[in-house]
Every structure is written in structure tokens, then in C-alpha cells.
Amino acid sequence: MRAMWKGSVSFGLVSIPIQLYAATENKNVSLRQVHEADGGRIQYKRFCTIDGAEVPYAEIAKGYELPDGEMVVITDAEMAELPLSSQRTIDVLEFVPLESIDPIQYDRTYYLEPQKNAVKPYVVLRDALHKSSQVAIAKVAVRQRESMAVLRVHADVLVMTTMLWPDEVREPDFPFLRDDPPQIRPQELTMAGSLIDSLAEPVFEPEKYHDHYREALEEMIEAKVAGEETTKPAAVTAKADVVDLMAALQASVDAAKKSRGAKSTSEESAEDAEPTAAKKKPAARKRAPKSG
């Protein structure tokens, strides 16, 4: 793992320098979009919808679109000037029981590693947090976005999980919630409870579950590789691009001339290639001499 962020945990008057690591990773099999006929990769280019020009990444800014379609352009320099008091600090605000937080608010999880000179205060906070059976609520800014976060202990490491703000969690508003609830018979509720009891386990063991779809996809890919069912896309050369461009330009010229009723360039070229003798006028016939 590589550290993606460096800062400190602010705990009262104590500051603990730490490094942040992504605690999870996406295990999906990475697939590219390709041309089915030859395996060539499909590419997407950034271009301006106004002038049609391709835009280099260095010239891309952020924009906020107003309801009337007007755009507010915000540069990276202007974004950097916005106040973020928690930009390099995980600021602990309070301590609460973990069960008081609804998991719907959880976003992303990170491991916190102490820097070399901060192992002792790190361990003190870790052990005190674990002993209290509570979690810390903090505020932090990662990647120019300020979030609420939960600090807790997992596998002897401090773990930070960013949370959504309250107004980012949608309220469920479905018609059935406003209707009168259906009548439930006691026998139906008892049967549902029996089903829950029959599937109940004392603890959750995630290791016994597997992503069967991903495993099947990986097996399919391995079988294709073993059977040499692979395609090596042809290298794209600059010459090929020029030829395609010339062909497109020629077709455009011909189409424009045909729309005006003129001969196409290819037709003119064919006429120029005709033998010169065929273009000459026939010689005048000699007159017969007059009789005396």
C-alpha cells in the first residue's frame, strides 16, 4: 500500500502525525472497451463543445452550471484558496457509541499509520478508544472535500471511515408509507421470525462468502488465454491516420462538387489521363483536283 495523504490526528492538545492508506480495494476484473472485430481499444478524447478543439488536461477547469445554462468557471487556483481548516488535520470533535451511527452514512474507509516519532501517542489513543467502547467523531478534508469521519480500532490499527453529511442521505418517500399498513396475522409474523432464527449465526464471517461472478469471469479469461483465443491489435501508425484524413478530405471535396453539379476530382483526373490523340479534332478532308 502507498500513503495517499499525510497529516495528523488532533486529539485535545495532542497532535499525532499519521499517514493515510486506502483500507479497501475494488476486486472487479478490469475490462476495456474494444472493437469486437480486431480488438482495438476504444479511445475517448476531451474536446470543447463550442470550438470542437481537443482540450489538454492543463486547460481544464471546473464549472458550475446555472439553471438558465450559464456557466460559472472556477480554476484550480481559486479552488485552492477556499478555506479548509481540516485540510491536513483529522480533528476529533466528540466520542459516541458506534451503534448510534446508522451505516447508511458510511462512505470510504482508510487505515491510519503513525509516523516514526508518533507511535506512543498513537498507541495511547488506540488503546483508550478501544477500552472506552466508543468511537471518535472527527472532521477531515481529503482531496478537496471536507467530510465527517468516524475513528475506531480494527485489528490493532486506527481506522477512519468518512461519512456523508446529513443532507446527502435521501429521505425515503414512497406511496406505501402514506397508506394504511396491511393487516398482518400473528401466524405470519411468527413464521417470518422462525425463518430468521433458522438462518441466524452468532457472528458474521465474511470469509465464507465469495464473488462467484468474478471467479467465473477470471476462469473464462484464463481458458481463452490457454486456448490462445487472444487478439493482438494492429499498431496504429501516423501514416494510417494521414491516409484516412486524405481519404476523408477527398470524399468531402467530391461530395461538395457533386452537390453543385460539377465533376468530381476523380472524374477530372480520368479525363486528363485520356490520350492526346483522342482529344484532337479530325483532320480536314482533302478536296479532289478540278478537271480541266
Side-chain angles (χ1 to χ4, degrees):
M1 293 188 293
R2 291 185 178 180
M4 54 168 290
W5 188 88
K6 288 185 179 182
S8 61
V9 177
S10 178
F11 174 47
L13 299 178
V14 178
S15 182
I16 308 172
I18 55 93
Q19 298 182 139
L20 201 67
Y21 299 82
T24 60
E25 59 180 334
N26 192 320
K27 286 288 188 176
N28 286 341
V29 178
S30 180
L31 300 175
R32 297 181 178 273
Q33 287 190 325
V34 298
H35 186 194
E36 184 179 355
D38 54 20
R41 294 180 182 178
I42 304 299
Q43 292 185 342
Y44 296 91
K45 295 183 178 180
R46 298 179 296 268
F47 69 95
C48 178
T49 56
I50 296 177
D51 58 19
E54 187 173 354
V55 182
Y57 188 79
E59 296 180 10
I60 294 179
K62 293 177 175 62
Y64 180 83
E65 187 171 0
L66 301 177
D68 60 0
E70 291 288 322
M71 192 70 68
V72 179
V73 178
I74 305 174
T75 66
D76 290 342
E78 291 170 329
M79 290 288 292
E81 293 177 357
L82 294 176
L84 278 177
S85 58
S86 57
Q87 190 165 9
R88 288 295 171 187
T89 304
I90 302 172
D91 191 11
V92 175
L93 305 175
E94 61 181 2
F95 295 89
V96 300
L98 179 61
E99 56 270 19
S100 67
I101 304 172
D102 194 308
I104 198 172
Q105 290 191 258
Y106 293 151
D107 191 10
R108 301 195 63 180
T109 302
Y110 304 89
Y111 289 134
L112 274 61
E113 179 197 28
Q115 296 186 24
K116 292 182 178 179
N117 60 342
V119 174
K120 184 175 181 178
Y122 179 97
V123 172
V124 169
L125 175 59
R126 181 198 68 186
D127 292 351
L129 196 58
H130 182 70
K131 185 178 180 179
S132 71
S133 299
Q134 291 187 316
V135 295
I137 300 297
K139 185 183 289 188
V140 63
V142 179
R143 293 173 176 168
Q144 295 295 321
R145 188 182 191 279
E146 190 170 59
S147 303
M148 299 295 292
V150 175
L151 282 181
R152 59 189 180 89
V153 181
H154 171 73
D156 290 336
V157 175
L158 284 176
V159 170
M160 181 185 77
T161 301
T162 55
M163 293 194 301
L164 302 173
W165 294 101
D167 59 357
E168 292 180 314
V169 179
R170 295 173 174 172
E171 289 291 335
D173 184 17
F174 304 111
F176 83 93
L177 294 175
R178 295 186 291 272
D179 298 336
D180 293 334
Q183 295 296 320
I184 306 296
R185 294 185 300 170
Q187 298 90 332
E188 294 171 330
L189 196 59
T190 301
M191 184 63 67
S194 298
L195 177 59
I196 292 174
D197 291 339
S198 66
L199 296 174
E201 296 291 345
V203 293
F204 173 53
E205 299 176 4
E207 296 79 10
K208 66 183 181 182
Y209 298 100
H210 300 277
D211 186 348
H212 297 296
Y213 176 83
R214 174 164 58 93
E215 292 172 354
L217 180 56
E218 290 174 343
E219 289 176 2
M220 180 199 303
I221 293 172
E222 291 172 0
K224 284 181 174 288
V225 172
E228 298 184 353
E229 296 180 49
T230 59
T231 300
K232 186 174 183 179
V236 179
T237 62
K239 183 177 180 181
D241 292 337
V242 172
V243 172
D244 291 342
L245 177 61
M246 291 300 296
L249 291 174
Q250 182 64 64
S252 301
V253 172
D254 290 347
K257 288 189 175 182
K258 286 181 180 179
S259 66
R260 296 196 305 267
K263 295 178 179 179
S264 69
T265 305
S266 58
E267 291 172 345
E268 293 175 352
S269 300
E271 290 181 358
D272 293 340
E274 292 181 5
T276 305
K279 294 184 179 181
K280 289 183 179 180
K281 293 181 179 180
R285 296 176 63 184
K286 292 183 179 180
R287 295 180 180 178
K290 293 181 181 182
S291 60

